[in-house]
Amino acid sequence: MKRYVVTGTPGAGKTTIIRQLEIDGFSVVEEAATDVIALWRAKGIAEPWTRPEFIDAIVSLQQTRERRALDATAHIQFHDRCVVCTAALADYLGFARTPNLLQELQRIQEERVFENRVLFLKNLGFVARTDARRITYEETVHFEEIHEQTYRDLGFQITLIAPGPVSERVKQIKSVVSVERT
């Protein structure tokens, strides 16, 4: 099975793209950070991202979802972010990379869990605030730089997916995956 990471900054359209890929019949794996935020908020933690243990909580949920997603019938699987994104988030937030995070980064590289080609959605030129997304557009631009560099530093090749209609972005992703399949 080929596992591709679909990534980008908050508000870049990842979830919408992932939903369309799922509707189109692809196997998908959900993003973890938003769910960790929702859970911690339900437990009374208003801003989970201010706590260093937030990073390990994301890593743990990512590991669980990745391992549960071993769908033997799928040829291609799309992951809404991965542990490399979590490393970029730790860097952006100013947290040290935890031993769990470092171990998981090493594991995905050694086991070649994901395809080396990352589908990086460029920001849309704005960001809509939500309960889980409290980042300004200027902050997303800064995070985008860190995020992209983190992937490059770990040896991934990045295919930039330009802003545009969902159908065009999905078409571009399918084209990349089709080319790599042959």
Side-chain angles (χ1 to χ4, degrees), residues 83-84 102-114 150-151 153-156:
V83 70
V84 178
L102 293 170
Q103 182 178 10
E104 186 65 0
L105 287 170
Q106 182 177 352
R107 182 188 74 82
I108 67 152
Q109 288 182 296
E110 288 175 357
E111 295 178 13
R112 297 177 187 223
V113 171
F114 300 105
T150 301
Y151 273 98
D153 289 349
L154 292 170
F156 287 89

Side-chain angles (χ1 to χ4, degrees), residues 86-145:
T86 308
L89 179 61
D91 295 348
Y92 172 76
L93 294 172
F95 295 139
R97 292 185 181 181
T98 67
N100 288 339
L101 175 58
L102 293 170
Q103 182 178 10
E104 186 65 0
L105 287 170
Q106 182 177 352
R107 182 188 74 82
I108 67 152
Q109 288 182 296
E110 288 175 357
E111 295 178 13
R112 297 177 187 223
V113 171
F114 300 105
E115 293 300 305
N116 193 47
R117 169 118 8 243
V118 174
L119 306 161
F120 198 100
L121 302 178
K122 293 298 286 182
N123 74 66
L124 298 172
F126 65 92
V127 65
R129 287 178 62 99
T130 67
D131 280 343
R133 188 185 313 127
R134 296 186 182 179
I135 189 169
T136 66
Y137 174 70
E138 293 74 20
E139 290 167 333
T140 66
V141 170
H142 178 62
F143 181 53
E144 186 174 65
E145 293 167 359

Side-chain angles (χ1 to χ4, degrees), residues 147-163:
H147 202 157
E148 192 174 331
Q149 191 59 50
T150 301
Y151 273 98
R152 290 189 194 286
D153 289 349
L154 292 170
F156 287 89
Q157 295 179 359
I158 295 176
T159 295
L160 297 175
I161 308 296

